[in-house]
Amino acid sequence: MELAKLRAKLDRLNEQIVSRLKDRAWFALNPAVYTPGAIPIAGRPGISFMEWSLEGLERYHASLGRFEVPDQHPLLPEVVGPSPVQRRLDLPHLPAIAPPPRDQLIRYYIAILPRLCRPGDDPHYYGETAYADADLLTRMNERIYLGAFVAHSKLARRPEIVRLAAKPNALRLALRDPQREVNVIAQACAAAQRYELDAGLVAEIFDWIIAQTLDLEVRFVQQVASSAVGHDNE
């Protein structure tokens, strides 16, 4: 996929993430949603309502064939199965790359909620809260995981970058586009203002997302380099 098309897709995801942050901000914090066992789920002791919601959403997405698409990766691969839906796709199948650490994403998300939502606990909206959480997490995960395709596109344009694989800091610098990062955060802040959200908080969230995306880009290039060395040694 061309870098320009990838960036258009990323921009669309950025807008969706801000919109869903607004949706989540409408509800109270509802800490019971994130506390394992606080909302009993028959047959699933020790799971939080948010985790239950995320499992259900990803199972549904999997049934539609979402995770058969190469640029999609579930947060909970252990709970999704193959889809009966069959379709032809023209996206490249990239070398296997470890997805973004899901526990890190979930911890970060839960940590920002007290700054996004008003205090309180309202059982009437536990379901809407958990759904908004699951939807946001899947969109943030998709936004970060697209970094593998971004790195693939950058490598196609500048194959010499792979020589920096053993120097993570230099590789990260080579993969960065500071002006693009500034533009992404500015667009997210503009969207936050339209949705009457804290633009400073939204800027922090997208700064974190960009950092995670770059981490994945670095890992992708290192994986490509490692695979090339393995083939050379065969």
Side-chain angles (χ1 to χ4, degrees):
M1 189 181 293
E2 296 176 3
L3 188 57
K5 292 181 179 179
L6 279 167
R7 285 178 170 171
K9 184 171 184 176
L10 291 169
D11 289 342
R12 187 171 67 252
L13 271 169
N14 294 342
E15 179 74 24
Q16 291 170 354
I17 288 168
V18 179
S19 173
R20 294 305 278 155
L21 286 169
K22 173 63 175 179
D23 292 341
R24 180 59 188 89
W26 193 89
F27 304 109
L29 182 58
N30 290 338
V33 170
Y34 313 100
T35 305
I39 302 171
I41 299 171
R44 296 297 302 277
I47 189 174
S48 74
F49 194 36
M50 183 205 71
E51 292 171 307
W52 177 252
S53 176
L54 183 59
E55 285 187 10
L57 184 61
E58 293 214 313
R59 284 196 184 99
Y60 172 64
H61 286 172
S63 73
L64 299 179
R66 175 178 181 176
F67 303 121
E68 308 296 325
V69 181
D71 67 352
Q72 302 292 315
H73 196 284
L75 269 167
L76 305 173
E78 67 274 15
V79 306
V80 302
S83 170
V85 178
Q86 298 182 5
R87 50 182 167 164
R88 297 179 64 180
L89 303 167
D90 60 0
L91 284 174
H93 285 272
L94 304 185
I97 179 70
R102 75 175 180 212
D103 292 343
Q104 183 174 311
L105 172 57
I106 292 171
R107 281 197 306 270
Y108 178 79
Y109 174 75
I110 293 174
I112 64 173
L113 288 177
R115 299 171 60 193
L116 179 70
C117 308
R118 67 185 185 280
D121 189 76
D122 187 350
H124 292 93
Y125 291 106
Y126 282 171
E128 289 92 334
T129 295
Y131 176 77
D133 291 329
D135 192 35
L136 255 170
L137 285 166
T138 58
R139 291 177 195 273
M140 291 172 72
N141 180 64
E142 179 182 2
R143 170 65 173 79
I144 294 168
Y145 194 72
L146 278 171
F149 281 78
V150 171
H152 180 265
S153 179
K154 290 176 181 177
L155 270 176
R157 296 197 308 170
R158 298 175 56 200
E160 69 276 7
I161 291 176
V162 77
R163 299 172 191 160
L164 299 173
K167 302 175 181 178
N169 291 335
L171 176 57
R172 189 182 184 87
L173 188 62
L175 289 167
R176 282 192 64 191
D177 184 339
Q179 187 56 55
R180 166 69 180 170
E181 294 173 23
V182 169
N183 292 343
V184 166
I185 292 174
Q187 290 167 7
C189 288
Q193 291 172 345
R194 290 197 305 274
Y195 290 116
E196 299 180 338
L197 291 171
D198 180 346
L201 174 59
V202 171
E204 288 180 32
I205 291 169
F206 275 85
D207 187 62
W208 184 86
I209 288 173
I210 288 169
Q212 301 306 305
T213 305
L214 273 169
D215 285 348
L216 191 136
E217 289 185 40
V218 167
R219 295 202 305 275
F220 177 82
V221 174
Q222 290 174 329
Q223 180 63 41
V224 169
S226 177
S227 298
V229 169
H231 289 313
D232 289 344
N233 291 333
E234 289 177 359

